[in-house]
């Protein structure tokens, strides 16, 4: 749930941006774990239009201006590609609105950074994917996003350093265990053991990158199924959203995170672990979809690591939930007690399911 803001506060905050028409109403929007998001409804000459207003969580993103610089560069670049294609396409990119000073963001009097977008109508994000056909399109969409950014000049800002550095995430977990500020460590020994058993393989992708076998690219880094919009009419994946973590990274992070969220028929915080696992037909569709768009630029070394990346990123997000549970739920938003622990157990169950199917995943290559 977004932080409680009154309608008049939101109206005032939205007023920092160039939006024509009259503000009607704002409502909390989406399921993000980090930022506060609102859908705004405006009346423009009798027609109702929607916008998105978002507060960047500065506890997570220490330099919101650097985030916005990345988002602007990436969306401008993609918009150029869409225009150049000149095709009849519903393909979109998020479009930032300008604040009165022309910048794509504005700070409120409390120092919070806000931004506003045009709302993509008749499309939605899915927490859980419906079918292999939908999974194919989602993966194709994320692969295409990567492809569009292959020729973006200059390095993007690293908005969260070491975001997918799994060994460092384990260091953070170890520090949290040592501090044990909430006395919760005694509740999670099996989960801690689960991570430590797999610790040795966690640096594999970073090592391949360091020795030059796998290149750094521009990656999204948060390719959850709910971070791409599906067109209501055509079912096509038309717009990648949540670009805050777009930064230098490995393509495998995106593939891995996509499988983590897209091949699991249960939501990330599902408590009934019998419902959690990797559906192989969904994995296959995600793999095929990703290759259909990203296959043209992926190297053999990258392709070879695709199955492993699914396991690694699932383990990594799982252990981030575990660390946050131990630290007292300070990073990810929670709506009930033990939600981070449920998320962690869910992800670890998924890791086991991926491990059990690793041979089949390798055979697809
Ligand atoms: C966070 O806010 P949201 O849901 O888009 C997190 C991701 C996690 C995800 C897990 C900046 O993303 O890394 O994978 O939750 N984003 C950040 O649901 O930490
Ligand atoms: Mg998101």
């Amino acid at each position: 749930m977004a932080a409680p803001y009154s309608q008049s506060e939101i109206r005032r905050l939205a007023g920092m941006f160039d939006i024509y028409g009259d503000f009607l109403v704002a409502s909390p929007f989406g399921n993000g774990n980090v930022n506060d998001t609102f859908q705004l409804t405006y009346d423009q000459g009798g027609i109702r239009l929607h916008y998105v207003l978002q507060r960047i969580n500065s506890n997570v993103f220490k330099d919101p201006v650097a985030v916005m610089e990345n988002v602007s560069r990436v969306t401008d670049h993609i918009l150029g590609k869409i225009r150049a294609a000149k095709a009849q396409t519903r393909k979109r990119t998020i479009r930032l609105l300008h604040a009165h000073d022309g910048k794509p963001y504005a700070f409120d009097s409390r120092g919070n950074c806000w931004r506003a977008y045009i709302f993509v109508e008749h499309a939605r994000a899915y927490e859980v994917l419906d079918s292999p056909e939908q999974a194919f399109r989602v993966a194709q969409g994320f692969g295409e996003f990567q492809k569009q950014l292959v020729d973006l000049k200059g390095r993007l800002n690293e908005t969260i350093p070491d975001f997918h550095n799994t060994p460092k995430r384990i260091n953070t977990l170890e520090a949290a265990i040592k501090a044990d500020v909430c006395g919760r460590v005694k509740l999670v020994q099996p989960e801690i053991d689960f991570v430590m058993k797999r610790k040795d393989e966690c640096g594999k992708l970073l090592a391949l990158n360091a020795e030059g076998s796998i290149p750094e690219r521009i990656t999204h880094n948060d390719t959850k199924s709910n971070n791409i919009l599906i067109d209501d009419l055509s079912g096509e994946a038309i717009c990648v959203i949540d670009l805050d973590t777009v930064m230098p990274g490995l393509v495998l992070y995106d593939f891995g995170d996509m499988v983590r969220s897209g091949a699991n028929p249960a939501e990330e915080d599902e408590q009934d672990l019998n419902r959690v696992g990797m559906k192989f037909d969904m994995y296959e569709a995600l793999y095929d979809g990703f290759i259909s768009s990203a296959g043209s630029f992926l190297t053999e070394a990258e392709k070879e690591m695709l199955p492993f990346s699914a396991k690694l990123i699932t383990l990594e997000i799982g252990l981030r939930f575990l660390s946050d549970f131990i630290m007292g739920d300070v990073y990810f938003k929670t709506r009930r007690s033990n939600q981070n622990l449920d998320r962690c157990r869910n992800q670890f169950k998924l890791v086991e399911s991926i491990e059990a199917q690793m041979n089949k995943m390798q055979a697809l290559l």
Side-chain angles (χ1 to χ4, degrees), residues 37 54 56 73 101 124 202 214 225 232 262 277 280 358:
T37 310
Q54 216 170 26
I56 302 181
R73 286 181 61 194
D101 60 3
R124 71 193 70 195
C202 284
I214 288 181
S225 64
D232 284 343
F280 195 76
M358 195 49 84

Side-chain angles (χ1 to χ4, degrees), residues 113-132:
C113 186
W114 294 80
R115 50 145 174 236
Y117 299 113
I118 294 176
F119 186 82
V120 178
E121 304 282 354
H122 307 299
R124 71 193 70 195
Y126 289 77
E127 297 300 318
V128 171
L129 299 180
D130 277 352
S131 61

Side-chain angles (χ1 to χ4, degrees), residues 54-161:
Q54 216 170 26
R55 183 184 73 87
I56 302 181
N57 182 337
S58 54
N59 184 30
V60 169
F61 298 101
K62 309 287 182 205
D63 185 353
V65 175
V67 170
M68 293 314 293
E69 202 179 284
N70 282 357
V71 176
S72 302
R73 286 181 61 194
V74 165
T75 52
D76 286 350
H77 187 80
I78 294 178
L79 188 62
K81 293 264 151 116
I82 294 174
R83 286 189 174 143
K86 285 196 188 109
Q88 281 284 335
T89 172
R90 275 271 291 153
K91 282 270 152 51
R92 309 280 289 271
T93 170
I94 53 175
R95 299 284 298 275
L96 292 162
L97 301 182
H98 290 146
H100 302 322
D101 60 3
K103 297 204 171 97
Y105 56 87
F107 283 91
D108 68 17
S109 55
R110 282 184 282 179
N112 288 309
C113 186
W114 294 80
R115 50 145 174 236
Y117 299 113
I118 294 176
F119 186 82
V120 178
E121 304 282 354
H122 307 299
R124 71 193 70 195
Y126 289 77
E127 297 300 318
V128 171
L129 299 180
D130 277 352
S131 61
E133 292 70 37
Q134 194 178 56
F136 183 94
R137 289 168 146 179
V138 160
Q140 186 171 48
F142 279 127
E144 206 168 294
F145 178 82
Q146 295 254 332
K147 197 171 163 184
Q148 285 170 323
L149 296 176
V150 161
D151 60 346
L152 179 75
K153 299 270 180 307
R155 199 165 186 263
L156 291 179
N157 303 314
E158 244 174 289
T159 48
I160 303 182

